[in-house]
Amino acid sequence: MSTTMLKRIFSGIQPTGFAHLGNYLGAIRSWVNLQEQCDNVLYSVVDLHALTVPQEPQRLRDNIREMAICLLACGVDPNRSILFQQSKVLHHAGLFWFLSCRTAASKLNSQTQWKSKARNLHGDMPPLGLYCYPVLMAADILLYKATHVPVGDDQMQHLHLAKELARSFNNIYGAVFPIPQPILGKVPRLKSLRFPDQKMSKSEGEDSGRINLTDTPDAIRKKIRKAVTDSINTVTYDPVTRPGISNLISVFAALKDISVDEVCMNYGNRQSVELKDDLVDLLVDKLSPIQRKIEHLKHDVTYVDNVLISGNERATEIAEINYNDIEVLLGLS
């Protein structure tokens, strides 16, 4: 087995249907840019992770395709990266089991994300999959011997577990896995427009709290105008005491690719309603090209499906080589 580790980027996104602005600015836009920096890139629609909560089968199928459409419309290029559906590469589940057999329960007990998700079950007992999905995330990364992983700050604990499992495996079997390093995003995690103490998410349930990439200009205008701020009319950035207006400033800065300080300086003598009005125009301008591509791809689902089929095959080729080597090391082959 070769011990030469080529630079390889891996990242995944759950199939929640068409993405929202938090997905785009927090992950997808970075994915597109990383294609220019590395010629060994894999992006996965991680549908196995979606099964940690109940799913209606047809809705899940639609969500997988819609997320793929969204990624392609945003600029993920199947000629420069591998876009694939996680469940179609069976080796993910196999490596998950291998790693699970070497993961102490105490490591999973310390994971904060599953605890917060379990609380959202409102008294129902959390399923085993929700408890151990960080090990599946580690398997997703290590299966392809990824060297770099784009992550948000809320995923750093999971990446740390992947690093620990890679080191543990390497200590026994030699230099099998590279130790994956984070690629941290520059955009702060976007907050709900209605509840700025919570992150922008589809799990929030209230559509008015997020900007969907498919929202019409009228919908965007209504959501931004109703976005919760405070009684102070000036534009200042303070996420602790002024989370609502600070969230809008973060969105504006990210879309314009400038700092929050520059936004505040530009609006120093203006009211927050002016920022909201300008943000509406900016969102419509930035999202319109993506929306046109989404509409085109919605009418060409054969192309979208073929991109995933091709990506599944290309990802399987890489995964199978690495998986077979691991089976030999474990004595399974």
Side-chain angles (χ1 to χ4, degrees):
M1 186 192 324
S2 172
T3 58
T4 301
M5 303 299 184
L6 300 174
K7 181 178 180 181
R8 176 174 287 155
I9 293 171
F10 173 89
S11 195
I13 190 168
Q14 287 209 33
T16 55
F18 292 114
H20 57 73
L21 188 66
N23 300 138
Y24 175 66
L25 293 178
I28 300 172
R29 189 173 66 169
S30 173
W31 288 15
V32 175
N33 293 335
L34 287 170
Q35 293 175 135
E36 304 288 345
Q37 303 170 28
C38 180
D39 58 4
N40 202 347
V41 182
L42 296 99
Y43 296 136
S44 180
V45 180
V46 287
D47 50 347
L48 292 178
H49 288 285
L51 298 179
T52 57
V53 296
Q55 299 282 345
E56 194 282 313
Q58 188 55 50
R59 181 65 258 174
L60 179 57
R61 293 186 195 101
D62 292 342
N63 283 349
I64 293 167
R65 178 183 281 161
E66 288 171 2
M67 181 55 75
I69 287 174
C70 215
L71 294 172
L72 293 169
C74 288
V76 171
D77 184 349
N79 293 315
R80 294 186 294 170
S81 59
I82 298 175
L83 177 61
F84 71 101
Q85 184 179 340
Q86 177 196 30
S87 65
K88 300 305 181 184
V89 183
L90 303 181
H91 308 84
H92 284 259
L95 185 55
F96 160 69
W97 180 247
F98 299 163
L99 296 177
S100 295
C101 292
R102 297 186 174 277
T103 305
S106 59
K107 296 291 185 184
L108 299 180
N109 290 337
S110 66
Q111 297 287 317
T112 57
Q113 283 248 328
W114 86 268
K115 294 177 183 178
S116 63
K117 292 186 178 183
R119 284 194 293 270
N120 292 334
L121 296 176
H122 306 296
D124 293 338
M125 292 297 292
L128 178 61
L130 192 60
Y131 178 68
C132 58
Y133 85 94
V135 184
L136 179 57
M137 289 185 67
D140 297 337
I141 297 166
L142 301 181
L143 179 60
Y144 301 98
K145 297 188 176 181
T147 59
H148 294 80
V149 183
V151 290
D153 55 1
D154 59 331
Q155 298 294 328
M156 281 299 294
Q157 193 178 35
H158 294 152
L159 184 59
H160 182 68
L161 177 64
K163 288 182 176 184
E164 287 190 341
L165 292 175
R167 290 190 184 100
S168 174
F169 203 94
N170 290 350
N171 286 339
I172 299 171
Y173 299 106
V176 180
F177 300 119
I179 307 303
Q181 301 301 315
I183 300 175
L184 294 173
K186 298 178 181 179
V187 179
R189 196 187 323 173
L190 298 192
K191 303 295 185 180
S192 164
L193 300 175
R194 303 298 294 162
F195 306 101
D197 60 333
Q198 303 174 16
K199 72 176 183 178
M200 186 179 288
S201 170
K202 285 195 173 183
S203 62
E204 176 190 332
E206 193 168 342
D207 186 69
S208 60
R210 64 181 179 269
I211 299 295
N212 302 302
L213 297 193
T214 52
D215 279 345
T216 64
D218 283 344
I220 293 171
R221 185 173 295 105
K222 289 177 182 178
K223 290 179 180 181
I224 294 299
R225 286 182 175 174
K226 291 182 178 180
V228 171
T229 52
D230 51 46
S231 59
I232 305 172
N233 284 327
T234 56
V235 177
T236 59
Y237 186 78
D238 187 339
V240 176
T241 62
R242 305 193 66 197
I245 191 66
S246 296
N247 187 43
L248 298 182
I249 293 170
S250 292
V251 173
F252 195 99
L255 289 171
K256 292 284 283 186
D257 199 21
I258 61 177
S259 70
V260 295
D261 289 339
E262 288 180 82
V263 177
C264 293
M265 184 173 60
N266 293 339
Y267 287 84
N269 298 316
R270 300 163 69 182
Q271 295 185 340
S272 57
V273 67
E274 295 180 78
L275 174 68
K276 283 188 173 184
D277 288 342
D278 289 348
L279 179 55
V280 170
D281 293 338
L282 181 58
L283 281 164
V284 172
D285 179 64
K286 294 293 186 181
L287 296 186
S288 292
I290 295 173
Q291 291 174 347
R292 287 193 292 270
K293 292 176 183 176
I294 287 174
E295 285 303 310
H296 172 75
L297 291 168
K298 283 166 64 176
H299 293 90
D300 194 3
V301 294
T302 299
Y303 168 75
V304 177
D305 292 345
N306 285 337
V307 166
L308 288 178
I309 290 170
S310 175
N312 298 339
E313 294 172 351
R314 294 164 66 195
T316 297
E317 289 178 6
I318 299 170
E320 189 166 29
I321 293 170
N322 295 336
Y323 189 85
N324 289 344
D325 287 343
I326 293 166
E327 279 193 320
V328 171
L329 292 172
L330 294 176
L332 298 174
S333 179

